[in-house]
Structure formats: structure tokens, C-alpha cells
Amino acid sequence: NTITSPPKLAGELEHVRTSGYASEREEEEIGFRCVAAPVRDRGGALVAAVSLSGTTDQITDESVTSQVQSIRQLAMQIGGHLGYVPAAMELAKRAAG
């Protein structure tokens, strides 16, 4: 299930950028999947990630949405402890752009 086509990979990376999370759907090993979200520091730099891995029975198509929300929330909480303030970063981007 590994993405081997450069255009498909580019599309997946764009989805990751816009959605704020990445997922792995049985690409490393059949029967397993993973979802992950970025952790950012005070300056908005990516410094870590939080992920959840499990079997396809544990991370089902039906449960992915709620698990992604939990992972993204945890990543934001950790980032908050590192000084990351999403609203401030958006304002800074708009001012610079």
C-alpha cells in the first residue's frame, strides 16, 4: 500500500499540510495503521510529532476521525507548553505576507 507515485505522494503531502495530520494506512505492515499530528514550538517550527498506532481493528475507518481529533488536540497542548499560539502564528504570517 506504499505510495510510490510522485504525483500521489505530492497529493498526500498537500493533504497533510491542509488537514494538520498524517495517516498511514497499512503501508508499513498489513493490518496496522497510524495517525500523527505535528508539535510546534513558540516560533511555529515543527519540533516533534504525536502519533497513535494500532491494528486496523483498533483504528477503524469509523474511529479515525475521533482519534485524529484526539491526537491533534494533544499535539496542540504540548505545543502550547512550548509557547506555540496558533492564532498568533496566523497573524504573523498575514503581517509578513
Side-chain angles (χ1 to χ4, degrees), residues 31-71:
F32 289 88
R33 66 192 310 178
C34 177
V35 294
V39 175
R40 299 186 180 279
D41 68 6
R42 175 183 306 266
L46 179 61
V47 295
V50 176
S51 69
L52 172 69
S53 298
T55 66
T56 52
D57 288 336
Q58 295 168 319
I59 305 174
T60 63
D61 290 339
E62 296 78 22
S63 70
V64 164
T65 300
S66 66
Q67 291 170 336
V68 164
Q69 290 174 348
S70 296
I71 289 296

